[in-house]
């Protein structure tokens, strides 16, 4: 007889990792199953859904940013480190107290979202500090 799996599995982030999202404004821009997972996680954590421009946390795709970077308050010629995006599949940009996860695709955006949560839970922040950002 096989042992029953632990719920949640130890490989998943603990519930405490999602606490910083409770009451935060968040937006997920783009479509796909991985972004739907981000939406579900944000909802379960108690984050309020907002538009990209007004959200404290934004998870999106590079293709969405390329179409309308100003919709989330980014100047792509300055703010999006393309080398990080190419190397890791995602980049975390911090600007003016906002955190924006940009994924090359949905899977990369989901990976970046979980990396952000892990780093917040451990007191370490991944990402690029850009002009106007004095938060950690």
């Amino acid at each position: 007889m096989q042992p029953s799996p632990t719920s949640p599995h130890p490989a998943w982030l603990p519930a405490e990792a999602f606490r910083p999202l409770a009451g935060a404004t968040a937006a997920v821009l783009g479509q796909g199953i991985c972004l739907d997972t981000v939406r579900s996680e944000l909802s379960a954590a108690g984050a309020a859904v907002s538009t990209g421009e007004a959200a404290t946390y934004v998870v999106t795709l590079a293709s969405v940013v390329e179409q309308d970077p100003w919709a989330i308050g980014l100047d792509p010629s300055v703010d999006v480190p393309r080398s990080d995006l190419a190397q890791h599949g995602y980049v975390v940009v911090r600007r003016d107290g906002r955190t924006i996860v940009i994924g090359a695709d949905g899977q990369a955006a989901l990976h970046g979202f979980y990396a952000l949560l892990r780093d917040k839970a451990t007191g370490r922040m991944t990402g690029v500090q850009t002009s106007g950002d004095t938060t950690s």
Side-chain angles (χ1 to χ4, degrees), residues 3 8 16-17 25 43 50 53 60-61 77 81-82 84 99 107 121 129:
E16 299 83 40
T25 55
S43 177
S50 178
E53 203 171 292
T60 190
L61 304 173
S77 65
R82 304 238 182 252
D84 286 353
T99 303
Q107 188 175 2
Q129 187 171 353

Side-chain angles (χ1 to χ4, degrees), residues 5-78:
T6 304
S7 180
H9 188 278
W12 295 109
L13 290 170
E16 299 83 40
F18 294 87
R19 285 197 182 122
L21 299 175
T25 55
V28 181
L29 307 176
Q31 301 300 318
I33 192 164
C34 291
L35 292 179
D36 290 343
T37 299
V38 174
R39 286 183 187 92
S40 296
E41 296 282 21
L42 288 167
S43 177
V49 177
S50 178
T51 63
E53 203 171 292
T56 302
Y57 296 98
V58 177
V59 180
T60 190
L61 304 173
S63 59
V64 172
V65 174
E66 288 169 6
Q67 287 176 3
D68 188 8
W70 301 108
I72 57 173
L74 285 179
D75 176 352
S77 65
V78 174

